[in-house]
Structures are given as C-alpha cells and as structure tokens.
Amino acid sequence: MSEKAKRKGIEIGAGLLAYVIVWAIEFYANLGRQEAALLFLVPYVVLSATTYVEQIKKIRTMKFLDENLLMIVATCGAFVVGRYREAVGAMLLYQAGRLVEELSLSSTKKSIAKFIDIRPEYANLKEGAGERVVEPQELQPKQIIVLKPGEKIPVDTVVTMGTGTVDMKALTGESKPRAVKIGDRLYSGGINLNGVLEARVVKAYSESMASKVMKLVENANEKKSDSLRLADRFTRYYTPIVIAIAVLTFILPPMMFPGTRDEWIFRGLILLVAACPSGLLVSIPMAFLGGIGAASRQGVLIKGSRCIEALTQVDTFVFDKTGTLTEGVFHVQKVVPHKIQEEELLELAALAEAYSTHPIALSLRTAYGSEIDKSRVGEVTEYPGLGLCAEVDGKRVYIGNYRLMNRQGLFCRPVAGPGTAVHVAVEKEYAGYIMISDVIREDAGRLIRWLHRHQMASVMFTGDNEEAAEDVAGKLKIESVYADLMPEDKVEQLEEFRESEMEGEKLAFVGDGINDAPVLARADVGIAMGGLGADAALEAADIILMEDEPSKIINAVRISRATLRSVKQNMTFAIGMKAVLIILAFCGLITMQNAIIADVAVMLINILNSFWMMKYPE
Ligand code: ADP
Ligand code: MG
C-alpha cells in the first residue's frame, strides 16, 4: 500500500471512530442545536483537514477548482443549514471513495512495474580469480562480470567467455530464448537461462537498456493526451458551473416551488455532491496506464497517453526501407573491381566501414570475414544517405552510392539491380563496386496487408536506388514509393505529406533510427524498430518496438483503439450518471449520502472497465 493510501486509511478510521462516539454522545446527552453542530465538527475536521490543506495549497497554482472544492462547499453549506450529520457522513464516504481510487491507481502502476520487472538487483564482479557481489550501479565499463544460470543481466555487456541462452521476454516480449556466444551483446533486464557466461561491461547502469526502458515507462504519463488534458480542463470549467447551478437552486426555486428556503439550499448542496466527477477523473489515466502496460508486455513501449491517442488517428504509415521493411542484412551478390583485385576491393570496403553502424557497413564487414586491423583506419566522415569517406593506409577511400561518387567528380552511373551497388573510390580513382541485396521481412508483409484491409495507406521512403526500392515495394504491395531520398529529403517529403493531411488524420513514420531520427521526431507518431539498437531512436520516437517485428504495430494499434474505446465508454457512462444524479438531487429524491454512494459506484464501474483494458488482449 502506498504512503498516501495508508494515511488516508488512518484518517478514515479515526474519523469513523469519532463519528460513532459523537453520535452516541448526542443520543444520550440532551444537546442544543449549536452544541451538537460543534460536536460534529470534531469528526468532520479529522476527516477533512488534509483535504482542506491540499486545497489551500492548490490555490497558488490555480488548480483548486476540482471535485475536492465541490465537496468542501457542499459539506460546509450543510453545516451552515444545520445538516451536520449528513455533512460528516458525506465527507466520510467521499474519503472512502478517494481511498479506493488511490488503491486502484497504485495497484495499476504496480502491476505495470511488474510487467516490466527488469530491475537487476546485483552483479558478480570478477576480481582476480574470485568474484564479488556488487550493486549494478557500481559497475564501470570494461569490467568483467560473471553471469550464472537464472541470473538477471545487470548492465549492457558483451560476452567474452562461454555460451548460453538468454530470455529477453521481460524486455522485448519475445518468448523464444536467444542463443548467445562470444562477442554477442547482452542487454540488461534479460535473464541468463543456462551456461555460465563472462561478459565485459559496455555501459554503466544508468545508460543500460533496463534503466532506459524503465525511465520511459515511468515517465509515460508526462506526455498527456488530449483526453487527459480535456479532463483537466473539464474540471476547471465544470466546477464553477456546478457551483453556479447550486447557487441558482438556493435562490430561484424557493420563489416558484413549494418547500422552505433551507430545504432548497440543502438540495443545492446535494446537487454539488452528486455532481462530483471523481470516478471519471481517475478512470481516464487508469485506462491509459492500462493500455501502456498491455503494450509493454508485448514488447511495445508507448511513451505516453498522447501517443496512444495519436496512434488511433493514423491513416498513413510511412516506412523506411532498409532495416525496417527489410532485414538490413545484406548479402554480397557480386564484386566488380576496377583495376584492382576482388579481394583487395572487399578488404578496402571492410576497412573503410570499420566504424560505421549502418546496416551496409555491418554486412560488408561480415562478408569480408577476417579480423579488421583498425590501426590502418584513420579519420572517418559519414555522409548520411550517401556513404562515407575513411582514411585507409593514409589514403582517402570513398564508399557509398553513385551520388557520392559524382560528388567526388567521378563519373559513375547507377548500376541496374536487383540490389544495391556500393561503389568504392580511392582518392580520385574509381575502384569498382560491390553488389549487395537485402532480404524482405516476412513479417512486414503481414503488417502491410493488415493496414490495407483496415483502410490505411502505406508509403515507403528510402535513400536507396529506384530499382531496389520498387523491387521491395512491389513484393510487399506498398502503394507509393519515394526513392533516392537524402535524410533531409525524407524530412521534407514527410512535411509535405503532413501539410496535405486533413484535420484529425495523422501520419506515422516507422524507421530503425539509423539516420532517420529527424523523421521519427517530426512524424505525428514516430515508431522506432529494434529499440535495442539505436539510442537516437529511443529519444526521438513515440513508440518503440523492442523487437525487429513490424507486425507488432498491429498490436499497438489494437491496444490503443481499445484504450480509447474504454476511455469513451467511461466518459459517457460517468457523465450520463452525473446528469441523472443532478436531476434527482434537484427534485429532492436523493440524500447526500446516497449521492456519494452513487458517485463511488460509478467510479468503481469505471475503474473495473479500465482494469479490463490491462488484461487486453490475453
Ligand atoms: P534507407 O533510407 O534505405 O534506410 P539510408 O538513407 O541509410 O537508406 O542510405 C541511403 C543510401 O546511401 C544507401 O542505399 C547506400 O547506397 C548509401 N549509404 C549510406 N550509408 C552508407 C555506408 N555506410 N556505406 C555505404 N553506403 C552507404
Ligand atoms: Mg535506414
């Protein structure tokens, strides 16, 4: 139980006790009206003191126009017109409702935290021949740790000894354990299932995957959705309106309808209580938290309720090609050297790409096969969307597409595919090209088919050549293709799309974060794939797919739609019930206590509805 809930519980217990005692005293002693009112003030103060203090504190931030204020006005008023028993009773029930609210909200947060229970508790630091148990926070890069079967990986590391399998389910939602060997990267939050591994620390705790993911989920509520902000604003206008209606009830009806003045004042006060929107206000954040939790269990991190809401409005999905729709693992098809040997060309390429993280670079290094002597590589300049220039053995080597060659003043034409030609030049000498091609993700086909079935459009952006682009788009049945785009062209093209959009339509961009972070950030909804990869993507994206599985987008869309549906249901139900209660109060057909009980009941139903959200879609 949270601190806040405990305090509230004690408050309610003490208040209830005082209430009973005061009832008994009133029953046996023959008290006058004023004395009795003073007596009932005791449980009232016990129950509401903290609420009053909270409310006074809120005046400074101008956020005091909320349901607390309604209750304060209503119960104060009840005291004034001599309905002190009801005042205390109403306050008691109201506080009980707030306790339920607090309990369910904190249990929601806790169960989300449980889904992503990836916080590592300790690490075995290797020291000489032995090892020592330390806090994960103490680990420094380059230290060696030992991972035993069943242990959680404390920080991001690279395996230096042994083989094993790791379970990444908590982090990525991937249920199949992954085999690891020397040289493989291990991400914190995963679990080593079998085999003893030694691994070198590559990132400190706070920079490691588990901390990053937890930070993202914990801050998820900061990016508020329109519905949440609407709810905040709603109370700001709603409260004064309700108070105005109540005041009118004090003044007008006594002149027109039967009943004493006090009776009508009391009805107005009940109306205030009946109008309390507490259930609604707690159920909305709960539904969003539930949606975020459900998604995170499937390896989809959603950075806040705003993203959930935006995702439900997306009608066009723009995809990056390399690494997103394709695996980003290129196979060398053909090596076409020019005035040098085939092996020489491949070696030059691998050396030049020694430091690049681009999928093409990784693939060329793999194709080369041998160890890369990094001492032969000097300064490297990357040209996003073109390629790069690296100093190899003191000479400038250019590697990239034909446009990079043209920029160096070398005549070079695009090579007919299928595949991507990677051209190499040494200083001003053209050295040939390496033809590589990529594999389409099967999973991407499933996603595209689903999108089309649900009337959403698909677009592809790529820096690759027209032919390679058309090839992939044709196989996946993507509707429109924009090829030969530099990273800044992608941004521009995206902006153009956004301008032509209609009100309420949103655009999502799906990329892998390798030189498309600016587009990810600019899209209405930026979806980054393989959250375990690029850091820039973690920052720029709104939604992160922890696994390289585009079809997870289907789950994300479904979950966000279900979340919004539940929010709308809750709003309709709560507002409808409030209307009924207000009418009942006006007609004098409901007591103050019953009005509160009804409010708490509405809240419970709303909360239950939100809870179901969290179970989705199991
Ligand atoms: P995409 O839009 O498909 O993700 P990029 O914008 O990353 O592609 O790159 C566009 C093109 O630029 C690639 O198809 C390739 O021809 C060239 N290129 C980019 N980076 C490199 C690199 N490190 N090595 C070789 N070529 C590169
Ligand atoms: Mg890319």
Side-chain angles (χ1 to χ4, degrees), residues 166-224:
V166 292
D167 173 1
M168 302 293 285
K169 187 161 193 318
L171 207 56
T172 64
E174 179 193 34
S175 49
K176 233 177 30 219
R178 194 184 284 178
V180 293
K181 53 180 192 313
I182 293 177
D184 283 350
R185 183 112 182 204
L186 298 178
Y187 291 101
S188 62
I191 296 169
N192 177 26
L193 290 179
N194 50 45
V196 177
L197 298 170
E198 277 188 23
R200 190 180 63 244
V201 176
V202 291
K203 279 189 178 163
Y205 177 77
S206 61
E207 291 297 307
S208 287
M209 195 49 67
S211 327
K212 277 197 205 147
V213 168
M214 282 185 298
K215 242 179 263 161
L216 283 180
V217 178
E218 275 158 24
N219 297 336
N221 252 14
E222 276 169 22
K223 279 197 175 177
K224 283 198 171 181

Short mmCIF file of all heavy atoms in Angstrom, two decimals, residues 166-224:
data_model
loop_
_atom_site.label_atom_id
_atom_site.label_comp_id
_atom_site.label_asym_id
_atom_site.label_seq_id
_atom_site.Cartn_x
_atom_site.Cartn_y
_atom_site.Cartn_z
N VAL A 166 19.67 -16.67 -23.49
CA VAL A 166 19.09 -15.64 -22.63
C VAL A 166 17.63 -15.44 -22.97
O VAL A 166 17.21 -15.58 -24.12
CB VAL A 166 19.84 -14.29 -22.72
CG1 VAL A 166 21.22 -14.40 -22.15
CG2 VAL A 166 19.88 -13.79 -24.14
N ASP A 167 16.88 -15.13 -21.94
CA ASP A 167 15.45 -14.89 -22.06
C ASP A 167 15.25 -13.38 -22.03
O ASP A 167 15.55 -12.73 -21.04
CB ASP A 167 14.75 -15.57 -20.88
CG ASP A 167 13.28 -15.25 -20.82
OD1 ASP A 167 12.81 -14.51 -21.71
OD2 ASP A 167 12.61 -15.74 -19.90
N MET A 168 14.75 -12.83 -23.11
CA MET A 168 14.58 -11.38 -23.20
C MET A 168 13.11 -10.98 -23.07
O MET A 168 12.73 -9.87 -23.37
CB MET A 168 15.09 -10.87 -24.55
CG MET A 168 16.54 -11.20 -24.83
SD MET A 168 17.63 -10.32 -23.72
CE MET A 168 17.53 -8.70 -24.44
N LYS A 169 12.28 -11.92 -22.61
CA LYS A 169 10.84 -11.69 -22.64
C LYS A 169 10.43 -10.40 -21.93
O LYS A 169 9.64 -9.62 -22.44
CB LYS A 169 10.13 -12.88 -22.01
CG LYS A 169 8.62 -12.80 -22.15
CD LYS A 169 7.98 -14.15 -21.94
CE LYS A 169 6.54 -14.16 -22.39
NZ LYS A 169 5.76 -13.01 -22.04
N ALA A 170 10.99 -10.19 -20.74
CA ALA A 170 10.59 -9.02 -19.96
C ALA A 170 10.88 -7.73 -20.72
O ALA A 170 10.17 -6.74 -20.59
CB ALA A 170 11.32 -9.01 -18.62
N LEU A 171 11.90 -7.76 -21.52
CA LEU A 171 12.33 -6.54 -22.20
C LEU A 171 11.66 -6.38 -23.56
O LEU A 171 11.26 -5.30 -23.96
CB LEU A 171 13.85 -6.62 -22.39
CG LEU A 171 14.62 -5.32 -22.47
CD1 LEU A 171 14.34 -4.47 -21.25
CD2 LEU A 171 16.09 -5.61 -22.57
N THR A 172 11.54 -7.49 -24.27
CA THR A 172 11.10 -7.38 -25.67
C THR A 172 9.79 -8.08 -25.96
O THR A 172 9.24 -7.93 -27.03
CB THR A 172 12.16 -8.01 -26.60
OG1 THR A 172 12.23 -9.39 -26.30
CG2 THR A 172 13.50 -7.38 -26.43
N GLY A 173 9.29 -8.86 -25.01
CA GLY A 173 8.07 -9.60 -25.28
C GLY A 173 8.34 -10.85 -26.11
O GLY A 173 7.44 -11.62 -26.39
N GLU A 174 9.59 -11.03 -26.49
CA GLU A 174 9.94 -12.21 -27.30
C GLU A 174 9.99 -13.44 -26.42
O GLU A 174 10.74 -13.47 -25.45
CB GLU A 174 11.30 -11.97 -27.96
CG GLU A 174 11.76 -13.12 -28.80
CD GLU A 174 13.23 -12.99 -29.17
OE1 GLU A 174 14.01 -12.48 -28.36
OE2 GLU A 174 13.59 -13.40 -30.27
N SER A 175 9.19 -14.44 -26.76
CA SER A 175 9.09 -15.55 -25.82
C SER A 175 10.17 -16.60 -26.04
O SER A 175 10.47 -17.37 -25.15
CB SER A 175 7.71 -16.18 -25.90
OG SER A 175 7.39 -16.42 -27.24
N LYS A 176 10.75 -16.62 -27.25
CA LYS A 176 11.76 -17.63 -27.51
C LYS A 176 13.12 -17.19 -26.97
O LYS A 176 13.58 -16.10 -27.28
CB LYS A 176 11.88 -17.85 -29.02
CG LYS A 176 11.74 -19.32 -29.36
CD LYS A 176 11.77 -19.65 -30.84
CE LYS A 176 12.59 -18.77 -31.70
NZ LYS A 176 12.02 -18.47 -32.99
N PRO A 177 13.77 -18.01 -26.15
CA PRO A 177 15.09 -17.63 -25.66
C PRO A 177 16.07 -17.53 -26.83
O PRO A 177 15.90 -18.18 -27.85
CB PRO A 177 15.49 -18.77 -24.73
CG PRO A 177 14.24 -19.50 -24.45
CD PRO A 177 13.33 -19.30 -25.61
N ARG A 178 17.09 -16.71 -26.61
CA ARG A 178 18.02 -16.44 -27.70
C ARG A 178 19.37 -17.04 -27.34
O ARG A 178 19.84 -16.90 -26.21
CB ARG A 178 18.13 -14.93 -27.80
CG ARG A 178 18.78 -14.42 -29.04
CD ARG A 178 18.91 -12.93 -28.98
NE ARG A 178 17.65 -12.24 -29.22
CZ ARG A 178 17.54 -10.91 -29.17
NH1 ARG A 178 18.57 -10.16 -28.84
NH2 ARG A 178 16.38 -10.34 -29.42
N ALA A 179 20.00 -17.73 -28.29
CA ALA A 179 21.32 -18.31 -28.03
C ALA A 179 22.37 -17.21 -28.12
O ALA A 179 22.29 -16.35 -28.99
CB ALA A 179 21.61 -19.41 -29.04
N VAL A 180 23.34 -17.21 -27.20
CA VAL A 180 24.40 -16.20 -27.28
C VAL A 180 25.76 -16.87 -27.22
O VAL A 180 25.92 -17.94 -26.65
CB VAL A 180 24.30 -15.16 -26.14
CG1 VAL A 180 23.06 -14.32 -26.30
CG2 VAL A 180 24.35 -15.82 -24.78
N LYS A 181 26.72 -16.22 -27.87
CA LYS A 181 28.08 -16.74 -27.88
C LYS A 181 29.04 -15.58 -27.70
O LYS A 181 28.60 -14.41 -27.59
CB LYS A 181 28.33 -17.48 -29.19
CG LYS A 181 28.00 -16.61 -30.40
CD LYS A 181 28.25 -17.35 -31.69
CE LYS A 181 28.21 -16.41 -32.88
NZ LYS A 181 27.10 -15.48 -32.97
N ILE A 182 30.32 -15.88 -27.69
CA ILE A 182 31.33 -14.84 -27.51
C ILE A 182 31.15 -13.74 -28.54
O ILE A 182 30.93 -14.02 -29.72
CB ILE A 182 32.75 -15.44 -27.60
CG1 ILE A 182 32.97 -16.39 -26.41
CG2 ILE A 182 33.82 -14.34 -27.62
CD1 ILE A 182 34.28 -17.10 -26.41
N GLY A 183 31.20 -12.50 -28.07
CA GLY A 183 31.07 -11.36 -28.98
C GLY A 183 29.65 -10.83 -29.08
O GLY A 183 29.42 -9.74 -29.57
N ASP A 184 28.66 -11.60 -28.58
CA ASP A 184 27.28 -11.13 -28.64
C ASP A 184 27.01 -10.11 -27.54
O ASP A 184 27.59 -10.17 -26.46
CB ASP A 184 26.30 -12.30 -28.49
CG ASP A 184 26.20 -13.09 -29.78
OD1 ASP A 184 26.73 -12.60 -30.81
OD2 ASP A 184 25.62 -14.18 -29.76
N ARG A 185 26.09 -9.22 -27.86
CA ARG A 185 25.74 -8.19 -26.91
C ARG A 185 24.63 -8.70 -25.99
O ARG A 185 23.70 -9.35 -26.44
CB ARG A 185 25.21 -7.00 -27.71
CG ARG A 185 24.87 -5.82 -26.89
CD ARG A 185 25.83 -4.73 -27.19
NE ARG A 185 25.53 -3.58 -26.37
CZ ARG A 185 25.88 -2.36 -26.71
NH1 ARG A 185 26.50 -2.14 -27.84
NH2 ARG A 185 25.62 -1.36 -25.91
N LEU A 186 24.76 -8.41 -24.71
CA LEU A 186 23.71 -8.78 -23.75
C LEU A 186 23.10 -7.50 -23.20
O LEU A 186 23.82 -6.58 -22.83
CB LEU A 186 24.30 -9.58 -22.59
CG LEU A 186 24.95 -10.92 -22.91
CD1 LEU A 186 25.51 -11.53 -21.62
CD2 LEU A 186 23.92 -11.86 -23.52
N TYR A 187 21.79 -7.45 -23.16
CA TYR A 187 21.13 -6.25 -22.65
C TYR A 187 20.61 -6.47 -21.25
O TYR A 187 20.05 -7.53 -20.95
CB TYR A 187 19.99 -5.85 -23.58
CG TYR A 187 20.49 -5.36 -24.90
CD1 TYR A 187 20.48 -6.18 -26.01
CD2 TYR A 187 21.02 -4.07 -25.01
CE1 TYR A 187 20.96 -5.73 -27.23
CE2 TYR A 187 21.51 -3.62 -26.22
CZ TYR A 187 21.48 -4.45 -27.33
OH TYR A 187 21.96 -4.00 -28.52
N SER A 188 20.79 -5.46 -20.41
CA SER A 188 20.35 -5.59 -19.04
C SER A 188 18.84 -5.78 -19.02
O SER A 188 18.12 -5.22 -19.83
CB SER A 188 20.74 -4.36 -18.23
OG SER A 188 20.13 -3.22 -18.77
N GLY A 189 18.38 -6.58 -18.06
CA GLY A 189 16.96 -6.87 -17.98
C GLY A 189 16.65 -8.26 -18.51
O GLY A 189 15.64 -8.84 -18.16
N GLY A 190 17.51 -8.79 -19.34
CA GLY A 190 17.34 -10.16 -19.80
C GLY A 190 17.78 -11.13 -18.71
O GLY A 190 18.37 -10.73 -17.71
N ILE A 191 17.47 -12.40 -18.89
CA ILE A 191 17.86 -13.39 -17.89
C ILE A 191 18.72 -14.46 -18.56
O ILE A 191 18.38 -14.95 -19.64
CB ILE A 191 16.62 -14.05 -17.25
CG1 ILE A 191 15.82 -13.00 -16.48
CG2 ILE A 191 17.01 -15.20 -16.33
CD1 ILE A 191 14.47 -13.45 -16.04
N ASN A 192 19.82 -14.77 -17.93
CA ASN A 192 20.68 -15.84 -18.43
C ASN A 192 20.07 -17.17 -18.00
O ASN A 192 19.96 -17.45 -16.81
CB ASN A 192 22.08 -15.68 -17.85
CG ASN A 192 23.00 -16.80 -18.27
OD1 ASN A 192 22.80 -17.41 -19.32
ND2 ASN A 192 24.00 -17.07 -17.45
N LEU A 193 19.65 -17.97 -18.95
CA LEU A 193 18.92 -19.19 -18.59
C LEU A 193 19.85 -20.35 -18.24
O LEU A 193 19.63 -21.06 -17.28
CB LEU A 193 18.00 -19.62 -19.74
CG LEU A 193 16.80 -18.71 -19.99
CD1 LEU A 193 16.00 -19.24 -21.16
CD2 LEU A 193 15.93 -18.60 -18.76
N ASN A 194 20.88 -20.56 -19.06
CA ASN A 194 21.79 -21.65 -18.72
C ASN A 194 23.19 -21.33 -19.21
O ASN A 194 23.37 -20.48 -20.06
CB ASN A 194 21.30 -22.99 -19.30
CG ASN A 194 20.96 -22.85 -20.77
OD1 ASN A 194 21.71 -22.25 -21.53
ND2 ASN A 194 19.83 -23.38 -21.16
N GLY A 195 24.15 -22.01 -18.65
CA GLY A 195 25.54 -21.73 -19.00
C GLY A 195 26.08 -20.58 -18.18
O GLY A 195 25.36 -19.64 -17.86
N VAL A 196 27.34 -20.69 -17.80
CA VAL A 196 27.98 -19.59 -17.08
C VAL A 196 28.68 -18.72 -18.11
O VAL A 196 29.42 -19.23 -18.95
CB VAL A 196 28.99 -20.12 -16.04
CG1 VAL A 196 29.69 -18.96 -15.34
CG2 VAL A 196 28.27 -21.00 -15.03
N LEU A 197 28.41 -17.44 -18.06
CA LEU A 197 28.98 -16.52 -19.04
C LEU A 197 29.86 -15.51 -18.35
O LEU A 197 29.59 -15.11 -17.22
CB LEU A 197 27.87 -15.75 -19.77
CG LEU A 197 26.85 -16.53 -20.60
CD1 LEU A 197 25.73 -15.60 -21.02
CD2 LEU A 197 27.53 -17.12 -21.81
N GLU A 198 30.91 -15.12 -19.05
CA GLU A 198 31.65 -13.95 -18.59
C GLU A 198 31.42 -12.87 -19.62
O GLU A 198 31.38 -13.14 -20.82
CB GLU A 198 33.14 -14.26 -18.49
CG GLU A 198 33.47 -14.94 -17.18
CD GLU A 198 34.97 -15.10 -16.96
OE1 GLU A 198 35.75 -14.33 -17.57
OE2 GLU A 198 35.34 -15.98 -16.19
N ALA A 199 31.24 -11.66 -19.13
CA ALA A 199 30.92 -10.59 -20.07
C ALA A 199 31.57 -9.29 -19.65
O ALA A 199 31.75 -9.04 -18.46
CB ALA A 199 29.41 -10.42 -20.15
N ARG A 200 31.92 -8.49 -20.67
CA ARG A 200 32.56 -7.21 -20.39
C ARG A 200 31.50 -6.12 -20.39
O ARG A 200 30.67 -6.03 -21.29
CB ARG A 200 33.61 -6.92 -21.48
CG ARG A 200 34.50 -5.73 -21.15
CD ARG A 200 35.52 -5.46 -22.24
NE ARG A 200 34.84 -5.11 -23.48
CZ ARG A 200 34.88 -5.83 -24.59
NH1 ARG A 200 35.56 -6.94 -24.63
NH2 ARG A 200 34.24 -5.44 -25.66
N VAL A 201 31.56 -5.29 -19.35
CA VAL A 201 30.59 -4.21 -19.22
C VAL A 201 30.84 -3.18 -20.33
O VAL A 201 31.97 -2.77 -20.56
CB VAL A 201 30.75 -3.52 -17.85
CG1 VAL A 201 29.82 -2.33 -17.73
CG2 VAL A 201 30.50 -4.52 -16.73
N VAL A 202 29.78 -2.80 -21.06
CA VAL A 202 29.96 -1.75 -22.06
C VAL A 202 29.24 -0.46 -21.68
O VAL A 202 29.57 0.59 -22.18
CB VAL A 202 29.55 -2.19 -23.48
CG1 VAL A 202 30.50 -3.24 -24.00
CG2 VAL A 202 28.12 -2.71 -23.51
N LYS A 203 28.27 -0.58 -20.80
CA LYS A 203 27.57 0.64 -20.40
C LYS A 203 27.30 0.63 -18.91
O LYS A 203 26.99 -0.42 -18.34
CB LYS A 203 26.24 0.77 -21.14
CG LYS A 203 26.44 1.32 -22.54
CD LYS A 203 25.14 1.65 -23.19
CE LYS A 203 25.40 2.23 -24.57
NZ LYS A 203 24.20 2.20 -25.40
N ALA A 204 27.42 1.80 -18.28
CA ALA A 204 27.11 1.89 -16.86
C ALA A 204 25.62 1.66 -16.67
O ALA A 204 24.84 1.71 -17.62
CB ALA A 204 27.50 3.27 -16.34
N TYR A 205 25.22 1.43 -15.44
CA TYR A 205 23.85 1.06 -15.13
C TYR A 205 22.84 2.05 -15.69
O TYR A 205 21.88 1.69 -16.35
CB TYR A 205 23.69 0.93 -13.61
CG TYR A 205 22.28 0.61 -13.19
CD1 TYR A 205 21.78 -0.69 -13.33
CD2 TYR A 205 21.46 1.59 -12.67
CE1 TYR A 205 20.49 -0.99 -12.96
CE2 TYR A 205 20.17 1.29 -12.30
CZ TYR A 205 19.69 0.00 -12.44
OH TYR A 205 18.40 -0.28 -12.09
N SER A 206 23.10 3.34 -15.45
CA SER A 206 22.09 4.33 -15.83
C SER A 206 21.96 4.47 -17.34
O SER A 206 20.96 4.95 -17.85
CB SER A 206 22.43 5.68 -15.21
OG SER A 206 23.67 6.10 -15.71
N GLU A 207 23.00 4.01 -18.06
CA GLU A 207 22.97 4.10 -19.53
C GLU A 207 22.48 2.80 -20.14
O GLU A 207 22.31 2.70 -21.35
CB GLU A 207 24.38 4.39 -20.06
CG GLU A 207 24.90 5.77 -19.74
CD GLU A 207 24.05 6.84 -20.40
OE1 GLU A 207 23.85 6.75 -21.61
OE2 GLU A 207 23.56 7.73 -19.69
N SER A 208 22.27 1.79 -19.30
CA SER A 208 21.92 0.47 -19.82
C SER A 208 20.45 0.39 -20.17
O SER A 208 19.64 1.22 -19.76
CB SER A 208 22.27 -0.60 -18.79
OG SER A 208 23.65 -0.78 -18.74
N MET A 209 20.14 -0.65 -20.96
CA MET A 209 18.80 -0.79 -21.50
C MET A 209 17.71 -0.82 -20.43
O MET A 209 16.70 -0.14 -20.54
CB MET A 209 18.75 -2.07 -22.35
CG MET A 209 17.58 -2.17 -23.26
SD MET A 209 17.27 -0.72 -24.26
CE MET A 209 18.69 -0.75 -25.33
N ALA A 210 17.92 -1.60 -19.36
CA ALA A 210 16.87 -1.73 -18.35
C ALA A 210 16.51 -0.37 -17.75
O ALA A 210 15.33 -0.04 -17.62
CB ALA A 210 17.31 -2.70 -17.26
N SER A 211 17.51 0.43 -17.42
CA SER A 211 17.20 1.74 -16.82
C SER A 211 16.48 2.61 -17.82
O SER A 211 15.55 3.33 -17.47
CB SER A 211 18.45 2.50 -16.39
OG SER A 211 19.43 1.67 -15.96
N LYS A 212 16.92 2.56 -19.06
CA LYS A 212 16.30 3.42 -20.08
C LYS A 212 14.83 3.05 -20.26
O LYS A 212 13.97 3.91 -20.31
CB LYS A 212 17.03 3.25 -21.41
CG LYS A 212 18.26 4.11 -21.49
CD LYS A 212 18.67 4.24 -22.92
CE LYS A 212 20.14 4.54 -23.02
NZ LYS A 212 20.73 3.95 -24.20
N VAL A 213 14.59 1.75 -20.36
CA VAL A 213 13.21 1.31 -20.58
C VAL A 213 12.34 1.69 -19.39
O VAL A 213 11.24 2.20 -19.54
CB VAL A 213 13.18 -0.21 -20.82
CG1 VAL A 213 11.77 -0.74 -20.76
CG2 VAL A 213 13.81 -0.53 -22.16
N MET A 214 12.87 1.49 -18.19
CA MET A 214 12.06 1.81 -17.01
C MET A 214 11.78 3.30 -16.92
O MET A 214 10.69 3.71 -16.58
CB MET A 214 12.75 1.29 -15.75
CG MET A 214 12.53 -0.20 -15.61
SD MET A 214 13.17 -0.86 -14.09
CE MET A 214 14.87 -0.49 -14.26
N LYS A 215 12.79 4.09 -17.27
CA LYS A 215 12.58 5.54 -17.25
C LYS A 215 11.47 5.92 -18.22
O LYS A 215 10.61 6.74 -17.91
CB LYS A 215 13.89 6.25 -17.63
CG LYS A 215 14.42 7.15 -16.51
CD LYS A 215 15.72 7.80 -16.91
CE LYS A 215 16.91 7.02 -16.37
NZ LYS A 215 18.16 7.32 -17.06
N LEU A 216 11.49 5.30 -19.39
CA LEU A 216 10.48 5.60 -20.39
C LEU A 216 9.08 5.28 -19.88
O LEU A 216 8.15 6.07 -20.01
CB LEU A 216 10.71 4.77 -21.65
CG LEU A 216 11.82 5.24 -22.57
CD1 LEU A 216 11.92 4.31 -23.76
CD2 LEU A 216 11.50 6.64 -23.04
N VAL A 217 8.95 4.10 -19.27
CA VAL A 217 7.63 3.71 -18.81
C VAL A 217 7.18 4.57 -17.64
O VAL A 217 6.02 4.98 -17.55
CB VAL A 217 7.60 2.21 -18.46
CG1 VAL A 217 6.25 1.80 -17.94
CG2 VAL A 217 7.96 1.38 -19.68
N GLU A 218 8.13 4.88 -16.75
CA GLU A 218 7.76 5.69 -15.59
C GLU A 218 7.31 7.09 -16.00
O GLU A 218 6.44 7.69 -15.38
CB GLU A 218 8.94 5.79 -14.62
CG GLU A 218 8.98 4.61 -13.67
CD GLU A 218 10.36 4.39 -13.10
OE1 GLU A 218 11.15 5.36 -13.04
OE2 GLU A 218 10.65 3.25 -12.70
N ASN A 219 7.93 7.63 -17.05
CA ASN A 219 7.58 8.97 -17.48
C ASN A 219 6.43 8.99 -18.47
O ASN A 219 6.09 10.03 -19.00
CB ASN A 219 8.78 9.66 -18.13
CG ASN A 219 9.89 9.84 -17.13
OD1 ASN A 219 9.64 9.87 -15.93
ND2 ASN A 219 11.11 9.94 -17.61
N ALA A 220 5.85 7.80 -18.68
CA ALA A 220 4.84 7.70 -19.74
C ALA A 220 3.69 8.66 -19.52
O ALA A 220 3.07 9.11 -20.47
CB ALA A 220 4.32 6.28 -19.84
N ASN A 221 3.42 9.00 -18.26
CA ASN A 221 2.25 9.85 -18.03
C ASN A 221 2.51 11.33 -18.26
O ASN A 221 1.61 12.14 -18.17
CB ASN A 221 1.73 9.62 -16.62
CG ASN A 221 0.43 8.85 -16.67
OD1 ASN A 221 0.10 8.29 -17.71
ND2 ASN A 221 -0.30 8.85 -15.59
N GLU A 222 3.75 11.68 -18.57
CA GLU A 222 4.03 13.10 -18.75
C GLU A 222 3.51 13.64 -20.07
O GLU A 222 3.06 14.77 -20.15
CB GLU A 222 5.53 13.35 -18.64
CG GLU A 222 5.92 13.49 -17.19
CD GLU A 222 7.40 13.47 -16.99
OE1 GLU A 222 8.13 13.77 -17.95
OE2 GLU A 222 7.82 13.15 -15.87
N LYS A 223 3.59 12.79 -21.11
CA LYS A 223 3.08 13.24 -22.41
C LYS A 223 1.57 13.04 -22.38
O LYS A 223 1.06 12.00 -22.77
CB LYS A 223 3.69 12.41 -23.53
CG LYS A 223 5.06 12.87 -23.93
CD LYS A 223 5.42 12.29 -25.27
CE LYS A 223 6.74 12.84 -25.76
NZ LYS A 223 7.14 12.24 -27.02
N LYS A 224 0.86 14.03 -21.88
CA LYS A 224 -0.57 13.85 -21.69
C LYS A 224 -1.34 13.89 -23.00
O LYS A 224 -1.03 14.65 -23.89
CB LYS A 224 -1.09 14.94 -20.76
CG LYS A 224 -0.77 14.67 -19.32
CD LYS A 224 -1.64 15.50 -18.42
CE LYS A 224 -1.44 15.05 -16.98
NZ LYS A 224 -2.27 15.82 -16.08
#
